[in-house]
Amino acid sequence: QVQLVESGGGSVQAGGSHRLSCTASGYLYTRLCIGWFRQAPGKEREGIAQIYAGDGRTYYANSMKGRFTISQDNAKNTVSLQMNNLKPEDTAMYYCAAFTGSNCYPGGPLEQSYYYWGQGTHVTVSS
């Protein structure tokens, strides 16, 4: 059973940067694909980026390339999402999710691929 705990949500001004973290436990960390998703009010959940903990390989949704960077700290079993040049439309609940395996599926993270989910952390971007 994989447990995921997100942290770092809060409020930020448009144009600013913010960093979210997700700490995983309960399973061999290096066998996890961990992804970040977000869901804005009234919208469907969308994938942002994913990383395979075993080798650090990253994949991004095309629409998220450029302002979002996913990274990891293996020593802390933690995956981070660095968000830059934030816009009001980035306001959303941000979730990390994981599945076990030998790699992430190439491309942006797909919700149906993920089995374990965190509770989410909210980011508000004000203009």
Side-chain angles (χ1 to χ4, degrees), residues 11-88:
S11 298
V12 61
Q13 292 285 326
S17 297
H18 205 67
R19 190 177 186 90
L20 305 178
S21 295
C22 171
T23 300
S25 62
Y27 195 83
L28 182 62
Y29 176 75
T30 53
R31 292 284 294 177
L32 295 176
C33 175
I34 300 176
W36 282 99
F37 295 79
R38 70 182 185 183
Q39 188 167 22
K43 294 188 177 182
E44 293 185 352
R45 190 151 51 186
E46 59 180 341
I48 301 172
Q50 58 186 351
I51 185 168
Y52 186 65
D55 60 13
R57 191 170 300 184
T58 60
Y59 305 88
Y60 292 85
N62 286 335
S63 62
M64 302 295 179
K65 292 178 180 178
R67 297 191 298 121
F68 296 88
T69 302
I70 192 170
S71 62
Q72 66 173 347
D73 182 341
N74 284 35
K76 298 180 179 179
N77 289 4
T78 297
V79 171
S80 295
L81 182 70
Q82 177 68 36
M83 307 181 291
N84 297 325
N85 190 23
L86 284 163
K87 305 173 182 180

Side-chain angles (χ1 to χ4, degrees), residues 6 20 37-38 48 81 83 90 92-95 120-121 123:
E6 302 98 335
L20 305 178
F37 295 79
R38 70 182 185 183
I48 301 172
L81 182 70
M83 307 181 291
D90 294 317
M93 185 70 80
Y94 285 75
Y95 299 90
T121 187
V123 175

Side-chain angles (χ1 to χ4, degrees), residues 115-127:
Y115 190 76
Y116 303 99
W117 291 83
Q119 292 300 307
T121 187
H122 195 270
V123 175
T124 300
V125 183
S126 57
S127 57

